[in-house]
Amino acid sequence: MNPTILVLTEETLNEADARNLGYLAEDNPVRFEILVPADPGRNMLVDVLDNLSLLDFAAAYRNIAGPHLSEKQEVKAAEQELAESLDLLRGLGFDADGRVTGQNPVEAVVEEARRSQAQQVVVITTPHAVEDTFGTDWANEAQDRLGVPVLHLYSGSTFIGDS
């Protein structure tokens, strides 16, 4: 069985994300296990502060006033994000599987990393100024609980978060 790289993403993987994951695999056969949380457990106030720190006023307004998805809609959206991410990776020739997680994404990563004996964990998110600054982001939390490397990448870029 090929070594596993576990990927936790808060949104659909894109071409840049797939390219970054390909760099991790190099020419070695690996298996990607993708986790997409149905409920990322985000705090609305923290999300608004994140949006404001990035000068994304429209997103801050949407977080306050915008339509909020029901639990069923969140699961359906996560399933769609997972399916699209798997299609992308498989289309590029990668061995990839995945699942939608529940309310605690970090706990899901810890459980899956131990179950699959993952060689590495990659967390792909958009920038979250508050969590990234105070080290409370998913990558830092996972790093504190696991004995494997955790890489924090910002979606759609080559920027590496601090974990």
Side-chain angles (χ1 to χ4, degrees):
M1 179 179 233
N2 294 335
T4 299
I5 296 178
L6 182 59
V7 179
L8 172 65
T9 182
E10 66 181 357
E11 57 187 34
T12 304
L13 296 177
N14 57 49
E15 292 284 338
D17 300 330
R19 196 170 37 255
N20 289 335
L21 292 173
Y23 291 142
L24 292 175
E26 295 181 16
D27 293 327
N28 302 315
V30 298
R31 181 175 170 280
F32 290 105
E33 183 69 28
I34 311 300
L35 299 178
V36 178
D39 176 8
R42 307 244 345 123
N43 179 299
M44 184 183 65
L45 177 60
V46 173
D47 282 345
V48 169
L49 291 174
D50 283 342
N51 297 136
L52 293 175
S53 71
L54 296 170
L55 304 177
D56 191 348
F57 303 113
Y61 178 76
R62 282 192 307 274
N63 277 326
I64 293 170
H68 299 285
L69 299 177
S70 69
E71 185 176 328
K72 186 176 181 179
Q73 291 170 319
E74 286 178 343
V75 169
K76 187 172 182 172
E79 289 170 345
Q80 181 66 35
E81 291 168 358
L82 175 62
E84 290 174 12
S85 297
L86 292 174
D87 286 347
L88 173 65
L89 292 174
R90 290 172 181 158
L92 294 171
F94 293 114
D95 179 12
D97 201 3
R99 67 182 174 89
V100 171
T101 71
Q103 291 185 335
N104 190 333
V106 174
E107 186 62 37
V109 164
V110 170
E111 289 172 10
E112 186 63 32
R114 291 182 178 144
R115 187 196 66 73
S116 67
Q117 299 179 341
Q119 303 295 308
Q120 183 172 14
V121 174
V122 179
V123 176
I124 301 176
T125 68
T126 57
H128 297 293
V130 174
E131 293 95 331
D132 294 347
T133 300
F134 294 106
T136 59
D137 58 278
W138 292 344
N140 273 297
E141 287 185 38
Q143 183 72 52
D144 290 345
R145 297 180 58 190
L146 291 171
V148 299
V150 177
L151 178 63
H152 185 189
L153 297 174
Y154 292 130
S155 180
S157 75
T158 57
F159 292 112
I160 298 173
D162 181 30
S163 60

